[in-house]
Amino acid sequence: MALFGNAHTIDAGTAQQDYARLLGQGERVHAAYLLIRDTILFTDRRLLLIDKQGITGKKVEYHSVPYRSITHFAVETAGTFDLDAELKIWVSGTSMPIQKTFTKGVDIYEVQAILTQFVAS
């Protein structure tokens, strides 16, 4: 399903090691998802969107969204014929949401629970 551009779950411990240079002291990855070449990390402090660009993917944009900046979010579950779930996150100061698509195999309720835990606190 990754070939269709949908995110799938990757091991949080592996993501913790792979992206250790991006994390602050004591920051922990709670969940991680891979979208072809891009990665989405939910840490205990922020949401990290890692966007590999270009043909080779050597140019990388790291987008850090502190949870306190998230004004609201929405999840849309997968359906019978629509096999993917969607996550939309609105960040203060922007009118358009950040949108990510997840395969049906990803527990979108888990994603929603992670956001609820960190955004609502």
Side-chain angles (χ1 to χ4, degrees), residues 74-85:
V75 294
E76 180 180 301
T77 60
T80 303
F81 298 107
D82 182 10
L83 299 179
D84 33 280

Side-chain angles (χ1 to χ4, degrees), residues 40 47 49 63-65 70 72-74 86-91 94-102:
I40 304 165
L47 172 65
L49 305 171
H63 190 94
S64 179
V65 180
I70 297 173
H72 67 283
F73 59 90
E86 292 182 11
L87 170 65
K88 295 178 185 176
I89 299 172
W90 285 264
V91 178
T94 62
S95 60
M96 298 300 295
I98 297 169
Q99 294 183 262
K100 297 296 176 184
T101 303
F102 296 81

